[in-house]
Amino acid sequence: MFMEKQNLKQAVLWEQAGDKKVQCYLCSHRCLIGQGKTGRCRVRKNIGGILYTLTYNKLCSANPDPIEKKPLFHFQPGTSSFSIATEGCNFQCDFCQNWQISQAAVEQGEIDGQAISPEQIVKAAVNYGCKSIAYTYTEPTIFMELCADCGRLAKKKGLANVFVSNGYETAEAIDFAKEWLDGINIDLKAFSEDYYSRLCKAHLQPVLDTIEYIAKKTDIWLEVTTLVIPNENDSEDELKRLAEFIVAKAGADVPWHISRFHPQYKYLDSIATPLETLQRAYEIGKAAGLHYVYIGNVTGSNTENTYCYNCNRLLVERQYYTIRANNIKDGCCPDCGVRIAGFEI
Ligand code: SF4
């Protein structure tokens, strides 16, 4: 499927739409792309009525990371995940912490990176002793072709695959990935359309649909993260609706990571999230019925530990991204025996 002369790989999940236009249905923007043009992510291009990915041979990041850094707390805890990215994103968040690589294609029209084959990536993951490959730092959906080729090879080597995603995949994209994708952390950034359209240039409903689809129609392990930004998504009502949505549509066993905001990129006229706000969000999550709520980006907090939701026994003690103790026995609380949800937990 390589187009050798331009060294580009044909994209997945698109169809011809007449007049040499193509429709991409990898993400919920569902761009209609004219001949010679790119989609909103700027990394998928229509050349002669065929859609190509511009990033397949352009890896921009590759590091072994603790899986807890994704964050995934109930997925192969205490292991390393070989974390890779290519440039680009289908969102344009004003507060992006990785904007240098996520927005380069949109802002400068440039895509940098190295040609590293899926075989080399999987080999590096194995050599580093990683138990999974994480497609992260930028939005993995838009480098799906590389994810798929790495993901299938990784499975053959006994490695898992995880996405850290904004949740804008279409149902078709999830169906495409689910044979090799084992876990995902989705950013549910807010519970307001105004927030998504104003700050991310996207919409809320597709993200809600993705969370529900993954929880109900796949076996992919799901965790959810919300970055709490002062005066944007930190009201009592919004946090309550976020937590209640997760319980109702994804289930009480889905871990919710509440993350502290620090001013970034274009969003500099704000303070970091006050600790009291994060604590309030934590209590709202627990009151909504979520079994596992965590506060991230805060040092010295015991809200990164896992407690049994039934008897409150300390199960997993974490400090930063290190596991100090894991008392879970055969996937259950050693005191009351209740099952603790997770992937090889
Ligand atoms: S992946 Fe890119 S081209 Fe495809 S629909 Fe999304 S933004 Fe548009």
Side-chain angles (χ1 to χ4, degrees), residues 269-286:
D269 295 332
S270 175
I271 54 168
T273 320
L275 298 181
E276 313 81 72
T277 305
L278 299 166
Q279 189 60 37
R280 185 165 47 83
Y282 178 91
E283 282 155 16
I284 288 169
K286 296 297 280 182

Side-chain angles (χ1 to χ4, degrees), residues 27-96:
C27 92
S28 290
H29 287 308
R30 294 186 183 269
C31 299
L32 187 63
I33 308 169
Q35 146 76 350
K37 306 284 188 200
T38 55
R40 289 177 65 146
C41 57
R42 306 283 169 86
V43 299
R44 310 176 75 74
K45 185 169 186 179
N46 175 353
I47 302 173
I50 301 201
L51 191 63
Y52 292 92
T53 166
L54 304 181
T55 54
Y56 188 83
N57 290 317
K58 296 201 167 175
L59 200 72
C60 68
S61 305
N63 303 290
D65 274 344
I67 191 84
E68 284 76 15
K69 195 175 174 184
K70 301 302 107 193
L72 284 167
F73 278 15
H74 291 235
F75 189 98
Q76 298 179 326
T79 64
S80 291
S81 188
F82 196 67
S83 302
I84 66 165
T86 66
E87 290 192 349
C89 191
N90 50 354
F91 278 22
Q92 293 165 41
C93 299
D94 284 359
F95 46 81
C96 182

Side-chain angles (χ1 to χ4, degrees), residues 8 12 18 33 48 57 63 72 78 90 107 131 139 163 165 167 184 205 245 254 280-281 319 332 344:
L8 296 179
V12 296
I33 308 169
N57 290 317
N63 303 290
L72 284 167
N90 50 354
E107 289 201 346
K131 297 289 180 220
E139 175 52 45
F163 271 18
S165 173
I184 189 166
Q205 191 58 48
F245 167 82
V254 171
R280 185 165 47 83
Q319 191 171 41
C332 298
E344 294 178 25

Side-chain angles (χ1 to χ4, degrees), residues 149-219:
D149 287 354
C150 285
R152 291 182 186 120
L153 271 179
K155 295 297 275 186
K156 287 186 187 155
K157 297 284 181 189
L159 302 180
N161 296 286
V162 301
F163 271 18
V164 180
S165 173
N166 59 25
Y168 228 55
E169 300 87 343
T170 57
E172 297 97 310
I174 297 160
D175 286 344
F176 173 82
K178 67 186 179 188
E179 78 186 61
W180 46 265
L181 186 62
D182 304 287
I184 189 166
N185 185 309
I186 292 184
D187 264 350
L188 178 55
K189 296 172 189 289
F191 213 74
S192 106
E193 173 56 26
D194 169 67
Y195 179 108
Y196 267 90
S197 56
R198 185 167 45 85
L199 296 177
C200 309
K201 313 293 181 286
H203 301 287
L204 168 64
Q205 191 58 48
V207 183
L208 301 181
D209 293 344
T210 299
I211 289 173
E212 186 170 359
Y213 190 81
I214 286 175
K216 291 183 176 166
K217 305 283 188 193
T218 76
D219 294 325

